[in-house]
Amino acid sequence: MRTILTIIQKEFIQIFRNKTMLPIIFIVPVVQLLVLVYAANLEMKSIDLVVIDNDISSVSSKLISKFKGSPFFKVRSSISLKDAENEMKKEDADVIMLIPQNFEKKLITENASEIQLLFNAINGTTASISNVYCRMIISGFNQDIILNSGNLYPELATFETINIENSYWYNPKLDYKIYMSSGILVILVTVISMFLSGINLVREKEIGTIEQINVTPIKKYHFIIGKLIPFLIIALFELAFGLVIAKLVFSLPILGSLWLLFGVAAIFLITTLGLGLFMSTIAQTQQQVMFIAFFFMLVFILMSGIFTPTESMPDWAQKVNYINPIAWFMRVIRMILLKGSGFAQIKKEILILTVYGISVLSMAVWRYRKTS
Amino acid sequence: MNGTPIISAKNLTKKFGNFVANDNLNFDVYEGEIFGFIGANGAGKTTAVRILCGLSFPTSGAIKIAGFDVYKQTEKIKKQIGYMSQKFSLYDDLTVYENIRFYAKIYGMKTKEIKTKTEDLLNELNFAHARDKKIRDIPLGWKQKLAFSTAIFHNPKIVFLDEPTGGVDPITRRQFWDLIYKASDKGITIFVTTHYMDEAEYCDRVSIMDQGKIVALDTPVNLMKEYHSRNMDDVFIKIAR
């Protein structure tokens, strides 16, 4: 125990003496939260819609004004499809809406009519979101016509329309920033913990002090745990700091217990810190550790469900995610913060994270060699 | 020399692939001796020291340090020894006292004992004023004296010094050897590697290594007689050519 405390004491002295460390600890969370949450926003605010109105009727202009009234669209008109296509090629148009001739006439005589929508699907996600928005507006317009046509077809007007009321649980305003900032918190602690622990041990190899440690009768697990605890404390501090920023800037709700959150975070961090230490027992230089850590982090983070729900990933990806600690912690942190889930609801996740923590840490202790 | 050897190496061999770094080394070191390992760079001195310290396993051979086996009892060996590596190994960003305290605590010394002993040590070295200076801010010669003092701070039975005086001026080297003699007077066995031949004359016995083999092992005086030389430099040149 005393040996572990000795190492912790030494690490803390070194960390606080390191002039590049403190800025990293304080600036990284601010930048990540403020920049990434705004930048990684999937909400579509200004979809560029180019309208070619070949009908120029009262119905077509009503439809266009519906789009103009929506906050999601920036509407411009164009004379020919060719011009519109050119704009799309220049990335100036996201959607082209073509209203054919006789649009109004067909609607009255045949009781149905058509329009054409063309989407710029370079980014499939934006295209499908634009599609959904367009459909919402057009179907609303449709309903207006049916209701207004009551004077023409009285029997239609007596239909009761079904009114769908949506209510979005746990994020009632569908605020994307809440979803994102909770995910960014996970990235924050993952990056900090993995890099700091990974670089720290291998640095002792580079400067040669590890030899002096290895020639002492220190126990392997003392050394690894002594290296792990200082960074665990720093990462938990980072989480607290990040939570405060997210709460102040994005009004991130904190519905569940903070004790539970930090408890699970500590278990999760044992895995990432352990991985960092494990990598640095194998690597010889800081660059090597950076490369390996970067590779793992990129894969794990993108698969973790920070941007896209893991449920919509292909089967094999969901299976891979079983061994992705970040995915599990991502779930848990959102459950605790946004839903207020308690221990009973996240038992499974805690159990899995604990198993990872213990196995990764034992791997690091096992792989650390005092004698080569 | 009499008594049981504190270091005993029989047929010590270390191979890295096809390269034989240590080829069948046989030597005994007795308690209280200053034993020198002399050789050119790349002769295999550091490899041998690392094996004796339990930092690296030999490929074959029977080696005992303070009665413990280097294959199975490395951790027991580590309690008995001190080590100062060629690569400077105090923490640059810690102060003199913090470095001493860190290693002393790892060896299980009590805080009170560490405090008083550090004070005595720094007074003896005339270095008390630098107690709270960071290692990176003190000159190389001092760093090496401190590294040596740290290596014997926990009173080991044996201390291994791997080219401890590399890169320092002759005066500082002389002062360093005064420290070695003081430690030897306290009963610590000294195992030192060097490629400075004047230092070889300071040792009780030396073994001269060349290309992984021990080519001569005796007291400096006997070696000089045997090779009809006036100093170790001549001996070394005659042996290694």
Side-chain angles (χ1 to χ4, degrees), chain A residues 2 6 9-10 13-14 17 204 206-207 209 211-218 370-372, chain B residues 50 54-57 75 78-79 83 87 89 91 93-94 98 101-103 105-107 109 134:
Chain A
R2 188 159 169 270
T6 305
Q9 177 190 37
K10 174 209 139 221
I13 295 175
Q14 289 183 309
R17 234 168 240 173
E204 294 224 19
E206 282 186 354
I207 56 178
T209 45
E211 292 260 281
Q212 205 64 46
I213 299 270
N214 286 346
V215 87
T216 68
I218 195 169
K370 289 181 71 183
T371 308
S372 55
Chain B
R50 286 172 52 86
L55 286 173
S56 147
F57 287 119
E75 294 311 294
K78 283 170 183 173
K79 279 190 187 141
Y83 170 64
K87 223 174 163 185
S89 54
Y91 290 95
D93 47 355
L94 296 183
E98 283 162 352
R101 182 184 60 185
F102 174 68
Y103 287 114
K105 274 186 169 177
I106 297 272
Y107 282 104
M109 289 174 71
K134 281 183 205 121

Side-chain angles (χ1 to χ4, degrees), chain B residues 115-133:
Chain B
K115 261 196 182 144
T116 51
K117 207 174 165 186
T118 308
E119 229 165 86
D120 294 348
L121 170 74
L122 292 179
N123 284 332
E124 208 182 310
L125 290 173
N126 274 324
F127 208 53
H129 59 280
R131 179 184 182 272
D132 296 319
K133 265 196 181 169

Side-chain angles (χ1 to χ4, degrees), chain A residues 74-258:
Chain A
K74 274 204 306 206
V75 184
R76 271 174 297 145
S77 56
S78 176
I79 306 162
S80 75
L81 186 59
K82 211 166 180 180
D83 285 353
E85 275 174 6
N86 257 331
E87 289 205 42
M88 193 175 268
K89 274 185 188 153
K90 285 191 288 179
E91 284 289 318
D92 287 342
D94 297 315
V95 187
I96 300 172
M97 180 165 74
L98 181 70
I99 304 174
Q101 268 179 354
N102 304 326
F103 174 66
E104 188 185 51
K105 199 168 148 200
K106 258 181 152 178
L107 197 64
I108 294 165
T109 55
E110 293 171 29
N111 223 352
S113 197
E114 298 165 329
I115 57 167
Q116 187 182 24
L117 288 170
L118 302 164
F119 294 94
N120 175 5
I122 290 276
N123 181 339
T125 317
T126 22
S128 53
I129 294 173
S130 314
N131 181 20
V132 172
Y133 286 170
C134 290
R135 276 168 187 279
M136 267 159 57
I137 291 177
I138 293 167
S139 68
F141 176 71
N142 232 347
Q143 227 167 27
D144 284 353
I145 295 178
I146 294 170
L147 290 181
N148 291 337
S149 60
N151 11 8
L152 287 171
Y153 308 97
E155 66 271 28
L156 271 180
T158 55
F159 272 116
E160 298 261 353
T161 49
I162 298 168
N163 225 342
I164 302 169
E165 284 276 348
N166 295 313
S167 87
Y168 298 100
W169 280 27
Y170 310 124
N171 191 354
K173 289 180 195 152
L174 288 184
D175 185 350
Y176 194 72
K177 290 193 274 304
I178 287 176
Y179 181 74
M180 263 328 274
S181 58
S182 52
I184 298 284
L185 284 175
V186 175
I187 308 246
L188 179 69
V189 294
T190 309
V191 171
I192 289 278
S193 59
M194 220 188 252
F195 274 142
L196 288 190
S197 63
I199 285 174
N200 179 282
L201 212 169
V202 88
R203 201 172 149 261
E204 294 224 19
K205 275 193 193 173
E206 282 186 354
I207 56 178
T209 45
I210 195 92
E211 292 260 281
Q212 205 64 46
I213 299 270
N214 286 346
V215 87
T216 68
I218 195 169
K219 293 205 167 55
K220 293 206 291 181
Y221 73 93
H222 281 165
F223 183 66
I224 293 289
I225 291 173
K227 283 276 180 195
L228 184 130
I229 290 176
F231 298 112
L232 179 65
I233 293 170
I234 288 175
L236 287 177
F237 170 81
E238 289 283 310
L239 179 60
F241 188 54
L243 265 178
V244 171
I245 296 176
K247 176 91 198 162
L248 292 179
V249 181
F250 308 115
S251 331
L252 176 75
I254 302 175
L255 299 181
S257 144
L258 278 176

